[in-house]
Every structure is written in structure tokens, then in C-alpha cells.
Amino acid sequence: MNKTDISGVQYFHKVVDCQYACPAHTPVPEYIRLIAERRYTEAYMVNWRSNVFPGILGRVCDRPCEPACRRGRVEEQPVAICRLKRVTADYKDEITGLLPKIPTQKNGRHIALIGAGPASLTVARDLLPLGYEITLFDRDPKAGGMMRSQIPAFRLPVEVLDEETDLVLNMGLNCCFGVEMTSLASLLEQPFDAIFVGTGAPKGKDMRIPGRDEADEWVHIGIDWLAGVSFGHIDSIGKKVLVLGGGNTAMDCCRTAKRLGGEDVKVVVRSTFEAMKASPWEKEDAAAEGVEIICEHTPREFVLEDGKLKGVLFDEVKSVYDSRGQRELVPSGKTLMLECDAVLCAVGQDNAFPWIERDLGIEFNRWDLPKLNKLSLQSTLPRVFFGGDAAFGPKNIITAVAHGHQAAISIDLYCQGEDPAVRPGSDYQLVSQKMGIHEWSYQSAIDHGARKAVPHLDWQQAVAQLSAEVELGYDERLALQEAHRCLNCDVQTVFEEARCIECSACEDICPMDCINFVDNGPDEQVKAALRVPELNPEQALYVSGALKTGQIMVKDEDVCLHCGLCAERCPTGAWDMQKFSIDNLEAVIK
């Protein structure tokens, strides 16, 4: 087995599972440590540099970091990373003086951003400090994109949204709100050096089944209906409401309907409950508000009586999976009739580019998505870049932010006459945390407390108000308790074979039995000799060079708790705990 190569940034980056899983690579353990020290403003700025919207994402992020959390491997629940992010926003001090300075002398380059969602705002945040002039176009009257139009105020208060979008707008953007983009060709005629398209996936899918046209008055496209509520155009709905679809948009629709007068609100989805695309916590909150979720039924037709919608007829189905994991919906032969006054279709979203002429040189694939270089996000028309949902279809806010960082690098390289696909490098630092023989500059003790529940507004009170925020967030006591559950995965166990005397003290004290001294040989032979079998081949083994006896040290990074006991016990200092940090974080986003 070969010695581990730790010369590049990727090895230790991947060991910090939460940061690696975050599309924007937010330094999660770093900001959680700052929270534990009550340094909330610093923790907010660590977030702001990476994910741009800590208060927003601390409420509505899809949380890809949490399934990757190392705590979830040793206990049932991961650290509440997302809700701790919100803590930094709730408890921060004034940050205006900490924001990057915008040069008054511009660099002569002018960039157009189409769409004021998270991707475009991230591009602006990254390019404005470099001296770019930026003009932003959006059809809506305010910034935020889908964060404003599709996420209800009871999940994301308008004040929080305004505060964090304004941080970017106030950096010196030229804003053109209320401007519907109708022609990319006309924009290309203007003296913009590059154009970024961040228009999202604005077209909601319809349910084209028998009776749809006749029932049009009572059937609404979910994202359009949510936007109507958000901008004050819709303030009521019928008593009996059916929501078709099983994603987070469906959960937002059903919960909003409860607040606008829906007394009997049901969600009908064709998958099983477990296979629904909605986040588990969104399903839990909907159920807590009295929403019934009916699974494994697919709509057959809209039923009308005397020219008015009576309900929807469904076929019961069963999900059958083949050897490749492909699902097929097999009808059981049974049907279900559900009466309703209104139907909200939340069965998916599509991109829509009717304003992009097809003779400009931008090529599209069979899904009507632009053909892009996945690294640079550059289209086949070199000065046009895409990001967020507009690039590869619907994802989430944090992915849009990552695309914004990625595109900003590409646009900067393009404007300098360089190849946007040749990315800048990134190095890393490892700094020892040793303060004494048994003392570290980070909290190394393992807290065995369970995950702290986030307090909620009383459910009856919540559904009575459209804009009352349901999640109340952690108070300081709960925040500090939850922060101490973090295992500090960015503090790495670094091994120097030249110092090792092979006394096995580290092997003996390791609580996870993840350190092994074994004879070297073929990979499978070495893995077979480990005291605990390698359970996750996606995570690396840390392998030393040959020791004095000819053996090698092998540590399974997947189960290591980063507790530092090996370094405390080692009599020669062969082990050390060293904090890992990336010098140019944006450059590792790919």
C-alpha cells in the first residue's frame, strides 16, 4: 500500500466531511468553534465569505453537510450545522465595517447579471471588490429570486431576506428591477464585457390529465401560486385543498394553504413517504400542522360537476424497483376520489429561455439547457456564463452560491484574456494546536449530549398567521450546547513516521480502534489486517511510509473522532493535532 500523498489540498479537505459536502465549502468546524467561544460576529463572517447568506441558509438550506457529519457516524443525529449557522446571524454585531472595500477606481470592465437570485448576487459579491462595474437586471421589484418568490415568510422572514440581499446590493450594484428580459441579442449589443445568466428554473410543471382545461379556474401551478402569495396578489384559498407533488415546494404550498384558509389540506404523492423528495424536517413540520400526506397515488383526472371542480380521481400504485434501482409505478387496480375546492401542482420545475435567440451561438441540449463547460460555466458563446438553476436545472440555494463563486472566477479570468477553464490553484495550511503536553487550543473533549431540538412556535398559533416564523431558533444556551457536539474535523491527526518508535501507545488508547500498525503489502491484504474493517471506501485511509521495523501505520479517517488522545499519549510527538485551512477557498469549488 502506497504512502498517502498529503501535498495537495484535496486529501485533508475531504477528511473535513461537512465542509467537503457543502457545495460552497463553508468552513463548518471553524465557525462552530467560534460560536462555542461566543464570537458570533466572527462566525458570521466566516460564513459570509463562503455562503454569502448565513441568515437565509441558516433557515432554509437543504443541509448537504449534515448527512456527512462525523457525529452522525457515532451517534444517531449529526450536529445541527444549519441551525447553528442561523445563530451567527441572530447574535452577530454590526458587520458593515468588516465588509470588503469597493474601489472607487474601476477596472474598466462591465458585467451584466440577469436575475437577482443567489447565484447572481454571489457573482456580484465576488467581482465588485475587484473593481468591476456590474449592472443587475430582474423582472421582480426586489432582489432574492426564488428565495423571495418561492419560500414562504413563515420559513424565511422578509426582514432577514432584505438584510442579506441588501448587503450585496449596497456594495455598489447598478440595479434595474422590474425589467423583464426579452432579448439576449439586444443585451449583447450593449458594451458588456461578460454576461451572467442566473434566472433560475422559473417554469412550474403542469399536470396535463383529462379535465385539466375545464378545471383551469381551480388549478394553480405551485411556484406561481407561492409567488402570488409572496407579492401580495393572493390572500385566500378554498377550504379543501389538494397539493400534487412530494418535494419541498409541495410542503411550502400545503403549509401556506393552511394559513390562507385551507381547513382540509392534503398532499398526494406517487412515491412512498420515505422516497419523497421533500426534506424530512419539512415533512415533519407539515404533518405537525395537520396536513395529511397520502402516498402511492397518481392522479388520473380532474372531476367536474355542473361545470365546477369536484375533486381529483387517483389510481393507487406500488413502487417496484428493478435490479438497476429503477422505479416503476405498478397500478393496483384501486382508485381514490378526493374532493377539493382547489389544486396546487408542485410536481417539478423547468428552465425557460424564450428570451434567448437560438442563432446567437449558444447551444442547448435536448432538455433545453445550455451546453456549458462544467468547470467554468461558460457557454458556447464565450462571453455568456450561466449558474444556479439556470445552468443544470433545479438544485438548491447553496449550489447556486457555489456556482456564483465558480462563475466569478471564470468571468475574471475571461476578462483578463485567460482561459476560464484553467483554474487558479489553492494551497492549505496546517497549524499545530498544541499548547502543552495534554492541552490543545481547541475543545478536544467528546461531548456525548444528544442533538438539541430547535424551539418552534405553537402550531395552532403558527397556522393562524402567514408571516409568523415557525422556527424560533436556538437561544444562546442551546446554541452553546449544540456547538460543543462538533468533533472539530478540521483539526487533523498528522503523523511523522521519523519520530515514531512503534510503541503502540496510540493504538492502545484510540477509542475507535482506527489506528493500526501492520505489515505492508497489497491493498486488500493491508485492509484485511485492520482491527476494524474499512466500512466506507469513499473515505481515505491515512498511510505512513515504512517505519523502522518495516511496518506501516494505517489510520481509517472515516471513523477517527479527532479527539487528540493519540497525540497526547505519544511519547515522541509523532502524532500532532493540526488545524487545516484552505488559502483560496473559492478556487476549490468545482
Side-chain angles (χ1 to χ4, degrees):
M1 184 171 278
N2 295 325
K3 180 179 178 179
T4 299
D5 180 8
I6 61 172
S7 60
V9 70
Q10 281 297 105
Y11 177 77
F12 286 126
H13 185 199
K14 193 172 181 180
V15 176
V16 192
D17 299 82
C18 50
Q19 180 176 2
Y20 191 73
C22 173
H25 298 328
T26 303
V28 174
E30 174 68 12
Y31 81 73
I32 292 180
R33 263 194 308 276
L34 291 168
I35 291 172
E37 298 170 8
R38 294 184 171 90
R39 295 160 64 184
Y40 304 116
T41 303
E42 293 173 70
Y44 183 88
M45 295 309 299
V46 167
N47 272 281
W48 190 82
R49 281 189 289 270
S50 293
N51 60 53
V52 188
F53 309 106
I56 294 169
L57 286 164
R59 289 166 166 84
V60 299
C61 188
D62 280 2
R63 316 181 196 179
C65 53
E66 292 190 13
C69 175
R70 192 173 298 270
R71 171 68 76 169
R73 301 174 201 169
V74 294
E75 292 178 3
E76 185 176 345
Q77 292 289 332
V79 175
I81 298 169
C82 179
R83 294 322 184 237
L84 286 173
K85 191 190 313 294
R86 170 179 171 173
V87 167
T88 71
D90 288 351
Y91 290 92
K92 73 180 186 307
D93 295 323
E94 174 60 45
I95 64 164
T96 303
L98 302 175
L99 299 177
K101 305 301 180 187
I102 308 303
T104 55
Q105 185 67 39
K106 302 302 180 183
N107 65 13
R109 301 293 188 178
H110 195 172
I111 311 300
L113 307 178
I114 307 175
S120 293
L121 293 177
T122 302
V123 173
R125 204 290 306 270
D126 286 359
L127 292 182
L128 284 166
L130 301 181
Y132 285 87
E133 184 177 356
I134 297 180
T135 298
L136 174 69
F137 300 91
D138 195 278
R139 66 182 182 183
D140 291 332
K142 300 191 74 172
M146 58 78 61
M147 298 188 296
R148 186 177 301 276
S149 65
Q150 296 177 33
I151 301 178
F154 56 82
R155 288 181 57 212
L156 176 58
V158 173
E159 300 78 25
V160 175
L161 180 60
D162 286 344
E163 178 187 5
E164 295 198 326
T165 55
D166 284 351
L167 286 177
V168 180
L169 300 182
N170 293 339
M171 292 171 72
L173 274 170
N174 305 314
C175 295
C176 300
F177 289 118
V179 176
E180 182 84 33
M181 189 59 58
T182 58
S183 169
L184 181 59
S186 63
L187 198 66
L188 288 167
E189 293 173 356
Q190 300 181 41
F192 292 114
D193 296 280
I195 295 171
F196 177 79
V197 180
T199 51
K203 184 179 179 182
K205 291 183 178 180
D206 204 345
M207 185 63 69
R208 302 307 305 182
I209 57 176
R212 173 64 182 88
D213 292 336
E214 294 82 354
D216 187 65
E217 180 181 346
W218 304 277
V219 180
H220 312 278
I221 303 302
I223 62 171
D224 296 338
W225 185 80
L226 287 171
V229 174
S230 176
F231 290 110
H233 306 311
I234 297 172
D235 59 8
S236 64
I237 198 169
K239 301 293 184 184
K240 294 183 178 181
V241 182
L242 291 182
V243 178
L244 307 181
N248 285 341
T249 298
M251 299 302 100
D252 287 340
C253 284
C254 68
R255 296 177 68 192
T256 301
K258 290 283 289 187
R259 289 158 172 78
L260 294 187
E263 297 176 357
D264 179 8
V265 180
K266 294 182 174 68
V267 174
V268 186
V269 60
R270 62 183 184 175
S271 71
T272 63
F273 185 82
E274 293 73 21
M276 288 174 63
K277 292 182 179 180
S279 304
W281 52 91
E282 299 296 344
K283 293 187 287 186
E284 292 170 6
D285 287 353
E289 293 182 0
V291 174
E292 181 182 358
I293 299 177
I294 300 173
C295 298
E296 296 188 298
H297 282 79
T298 184
R300 175 191 285 191
E301 66 174 306
F302 294 101
V303 179
L304 289 90
E305 189 174 87
D306 298 327
K308 184 179 180 181
L309 178 68
K310 181 180 180 182
V312 181
L313 181 65
F314 295 88
D315 288 315
E316 183 184 73
V317 295
K318 293 295 180 185
S319 297
V320 178
Y321 294 87
D322 61 22
S323 59
R324 297 175 299 168
Q326 298 295 315
R327 184 182 68 178
E328 181 183 0
L329 299 177
V330 180
S332 70
K334 299 178 182 179
T335 61
L336 175 66
M337 173 66 187
L338 295 176
E339 295 187 359
C340 63
D341 303 315
V343 177
L344 302 175
C345 291
V347 292
Q349 295 170 231
D350 286 324
N351 296 73
F353 302 108
W355 50 277
I356 297 181
E357 294 85 352
R358 293 310 193 257
D359 59 353
L360 300 176
I362 298 178
E363 296 179 16
F364 289 82
N365 62 24
R366 60 193 178 104
W367 297 284
D368 205 35
L369 290 170
K371 292 183 178 181
L372 305 175
N373 181 307
K374 289 188 177 181
L375 185 60
S376 66
L377 301 179
Q378 187 177 37
S379 74
T380 51
L381 182 61
R383 67 175 168 133
V384 178
F385 299 77
F386 289 73
D389 292 354
F392 305 113
K395 298 289 185 194
N396 49 44
I397 298 171
I398 191 62
T399 297
V401 169
H403 283 177
H405 289 308
Q406 198 172 339
I409 292 174
S410 299
I411 291 169
D412 186 39
L413 289 169
Y414 173 77
C415 288
Q416 295 179 51
E418 300 179 21
D419 185 351
V422 180
R423 315 300 281 180
S426 182
D427 204 354
Y428 71 92
Q429 303 293 325
L430 286 170
V431 178
S432 178
Q433 302 301 289
K434 187 174 290 184
M435 295 178 65
I437 297 177
H438 300 297
E439 188 176 1
W440 307 101
S441 61
Y442 75 104
Q443 177 64 37
S444 62
I446 305 301
D447 187 308
H448 294 288
R451 177 173 169 134
K452 306 302 178 287
V454 179
H456 282 65
L457 190 66
D458 175 77
W459 294 113
Q460 294 300 318
Q461 183 181 354
V463 297
Q465 304 174 65
L466 182 61
S467 60
E469 187 172 15
V470 175
E471 284 197 14
L472 303 179
Y474 285 137
D475 60 22
E476 192 171 35
R477 178 183 63 85
L478 288 173
L480 295 175
Q481 290 176 354
E482 185 63 26
H484 280 106
R485 297 183 67 235
C486 178
L487 295 174
N488 297 286
C489 297
D490 61 338
V491 180
Q492 308 287 346
T493 50
V494 178
F495 182 75
E496 293 184 43
E497 55 260 67
R499 292 173 176 261
C500 180
I501 59 174
E502 300 179 70
C503 65
S504 293
C506 57
E507 197 174 25
D508 293 339
I509 201 170
C510 177
M512 302 303 290
D513 290 332
C514 65
I515 297 175
N516 306 264
F517 289 87
V518 297
D519 292 329
N520 202 357
D523 288 3
E524 293 308 315
Q525 176 184 317
V526 172
K527 290 178 182 179
L530 302 181
R531 292 189 292 165
V532 176
E534 183 189 32
L535 299 177
N536 179 14
E538 296 298 317
Q539 186 59 276
L541 296 173
Y542 185 16
V543 183
S544 76
L547 300 170
K548 294 180 177 64
T549 64
Q551 288 191 316
I552 56 173
M553 185 285 304
V554 182
K555 181 170 78 77
D556 190 346
E557 297 283 21
D558 185 53
V559 293
C560 175
L561 297 180
H562 297 229
C563 61
L565 289 175
C566 55
E568 290 182 15
R569 186 71 174 269
C570 180
T572 64
W575 287 102
D576 191 16
M577 304 306 295
Q578 299 184 7
K579 190 175 85 167
F580 165 80
S581 59
I582 300 174
D583 291 344
N584 181 4
L585 192 59
E586 287 82 1
V588 300
I589 297 174
K590 295 182 175 63

